[in-house]
Amino acid sequence: MVIGILKDIKKGENRVIATPGEVATLIGDGNTVKVQKGAGEKAGFEDQAYAEAGAVLVDTAEEIYGTCEFVTKVKEFEPSEFDLLREGQIVFTCIHPAAHPEEVQALLDKKVIAFTAEDSHRYGSPNCEAAGKQGALFGLESMLTINGGKGKFVSGLGGAPGMKVLILGGGVVGQAALSVLRALGAWCTVMDINIGTLRSLSRQYQEQVNTMISTKENIAKLLPETDMVLNCVKWPKGCKDYLIDRSMLKLMEKGSVIVDISNDEQGAIESFHETTHENPRYIEEGIVHFCVSNIPGAIANSASIAYAASVLPHFRSIAKNGVAEACARDGFLRRSMTTYKGYLTHEETSALQNRPWIRPEEILEIADRQLDQAPHATVTRSANLIHLK
């Protein structure tokens, strides 16, 4: 297969989807790999390293799209890329389809076979780990007096107590943030809706982390004594409620910090609006908000290495076995299929955009096989199904 590695063009994105190590592996499997010049430069991977791994360096994205059967990168397709897509082409990136109807329409119109990377990770996204760990550090930076924060040091100083932190969500993101903050000496409370998750975290930290069931009422009780809140909740898209509404900001001391790592529009934090690394913070009701949408882009080298390691098995399987067989063998890859030659195959997108969809196993004609299974990627369901005759 001819595989193309694109240079990401989204503002603030510094990662690359494959390092020279993964490129060498794919070439060793018998594939041809083309890499757009400069694709890995900001993550610390020079063009020369890709060339030494056996890649063909090309000047433009147009050449990648025009000559490669399989095209991949880190972030969503920008509108300038829509017309470059070709019918039958396999594309793999973080599409976030439910939130991007124009992008989905382009994928359908171009009749590509698209996979949304964020749903393909069997052991949780490495980007979630990166966002949780680095997001915690950005929160500490936001707590500095020079950034509008109340000026508390994370573990305290002699005679001065350390920070009290509330982590909303005990999944991959929340656990990653907790690991950093506990190591640095913060006093942490984790809230989640899963009592099993809370018990597990409590045991893991020898009962030295407080845990509570996540409700708006419990959050309100803690906010007056909380220095920093990290939102790590995968909020159901379309939900009209909030875990922290604007009025609740008044419960917090001025200079307290909210880090919205989840970064959802109409998400768990009503006062959220997306920011960038160039202008990462704003203050509302005296509370410092850090709401950068691309936290892993700040640690591009480590995040690229971890991300590439996670997706390499999918790339190898698709190239070796073809799309249908690869999806039969891996339920996480199958659930991440977003479009197939003009058909929508992503359930959450169907529900939230009111589009008909078809199950990947049906469009791939593998429904009668013994398939590797995976849990649903989200809680959102759609009965707006297409059935082939």
Side-chain angles (χ1 to χ4, degrees):
M1 186 171 280
V2 182
I3 300 171
I5 311 297
L6 285 165
K7 179 180 179 179
D8 271 80
I9 59 175
K10 183 172 182 176
K11 186 176 181 181
E13 182 51 69
N14 302 312
R15 291 170 291 173
V16 64
I17 193 68
T19 76
E22 286 74 39
V23 167
T25 298
L26 292 168
I27 291 171
D29 289 344
N31 302 292
T32 297
V33 179
K34 297 185 178 183
V35 176
Q36 187 181 352
K37 290 179 181 178
E41 186 175 6
K42 290 182 179 179
F45 305 105
E46 301 292 338
D47 289 343
Q48 183 61 30
Y50 285 105
E52 290 173 358
V56 178
L57 295 174
V58 302
D59 291 316
T60 66
E62 286 78 3
E63 185 172 349
I64 295 284
Y65 281 108
T67 61
C68 296
E69 303 161 77
F70 184 118
V71 174
T72 183
K73 62 172 189 162
V74 176
K75 295 300 285 182
E76 305 92 347
F77 292 105
E78 298 290 321
S80 62
E81 298 174 277
F82 293 169
D83 284 341
L84 300 177
L85 297 164
R86 294 186 296 116
E87 184 172 345
Q89 198 167 48
I90 303 166
V91 296
F92 187 105
T93 190
C94 286
I95 299 169
H96 299 293
H100 294 98
E102 296 83 4
E103 184 183 20
V104 170
Q105 190 60 54
L107 297 173
L108 292 170
D109 290 344
K110 291 296 184 176
K111 297 184 178 180
V112 298
I113 303 167
F115 293 91
T116 187
E118 67 272 14
D119 289 346
S120 73
H121 304 289
R122 185 175 293 270
Y123 303 107
S125 171
N127 292 320
C128 291
E129 180 186 6
K133 289 182 174 179
Q134 186 58 46
L137 295 178
F138 279 135
L140 299 182
E141 185 183 23
S142 301
M143 177 60 65
L144 298 177
T145 308
I146 57 176
N147 288 322
K150 61 171 70 172
K152 278 196 171 184
F153 186 68
V154 56
S155 61
L157 304 171
M163 288 171 53
K164 291 184 178 180
V165 179
L166 172 59
I167 299 173
L168 301 177
V172 175
V173 179
Q175 290 178 38
L178 176 63
S179 70
V180 168
L181 292 166
R182 274 295 301 162
L184 293 174
W187 299 90
C188 298
T189 299
V190 180
M191 287 191 183
D192 200 278
I193 59 173
N194 187 323
I195 190 69
T197 296
L198 298 178
R199 284 175 179 156
S200 177
L201 287 173
S202 185
R203 287 194 298 269
Q204 180 180 341
Y205 287 92
Q206 293 78 49
E207 319 297 334
Q208 311 228 345
V209 169
N210 290 327
T211 61
M212 295 178 70
I213 289 294
S214 183
T215 66
K216 201 167 183 177
E217 292 72 24
N218 280 341
I219 293 169
K221 288 177 186 177
L222 288 191
L223 286 183
E225 60 185 61
T226 296
D227 300 304
M228 181 167 72
V229 177
L230 288 89
N231 176 36
C232 308
V233 175
K234 190 171 185 178
W235 199 243
K237 290 181 173 62
C239 180
K240 303 298 185 185
D241 199 6
Y242 304 101
L243 285 178
I244 299 179
D245 61 38
R246 265 195 186 82
S247 67
M248 293 168 69
L249 298 182
K250 296 176 182 178
L251 299 173
M252 303 178 74
E253 290 185 351
K254 286 191 177 354
S256 298
V257 172
I258 292 177
V259 182
D260 197 336
I261 300 176
S262 295
N263 218 260
D264 295 316
E265 290 291 347
Q266 191 64 49
I269 311 294
E270 185 178 12
S271 52
F272 162 84
H273 67 75
E274 185 177 337
T275 60
T276 65
H277 286 297
E278 290 73 25
N279 187 21
R281 300 176 188 86
Y282 59 92
I283 297 176
E284 188 165 329
E285 296 288 348
I287 308 305
V288 182
H289 290 63
F290 183 96
C291 301
V292 173
S293 64
N294 182 23
I295 290 174
I299 49 172
N301 181 270
S302 293
S304 294
I305 293 170
Y307 194 19
S310 179
V311 298
L312 177 63
H314 292 321
F315 293 1
R316 299 183 77 186
S317 183
I318 291 170
K320 179 181 178 181
N321 303 309
V323 169
E325 182 63 24
C327 286
R329 296 183 179 199
D330 194 318
F332 287 82
L333 179 64
R334 189 170 67 252
R335 78 178 192 182
S336 74
M337 180 182 279
T338 303
T339 64
Y340 185 87
K341 298 181 179 180
Y343 288 90
L344 179 67
T345 54
H346 195 261
E347 184 173 14
E348 182 187 38
T349 303
S350 167
L352 295 178
Q353 295 181 16
N354 194 28
R355 298 177 187 262
W357 75 295
I358 186 168
R359 300 185 193 279
E361 53 267 32
E362 187 169 350
I363 194 71
L364 294 173
E365 299 181 345
I366 56 173
D368 59 345
R369 293 185 50 184
Q370 187 72 31
L371 303 175
D372 177 65
Q373 296 300 321
H376 292 285
T378 71
V379 299
T380 307
R381 299 287 170 269
S382 172
N384 189 4
L385 279 162
I386 301 169
H387 294 286
L388 298 180
K389 294 181 181 179

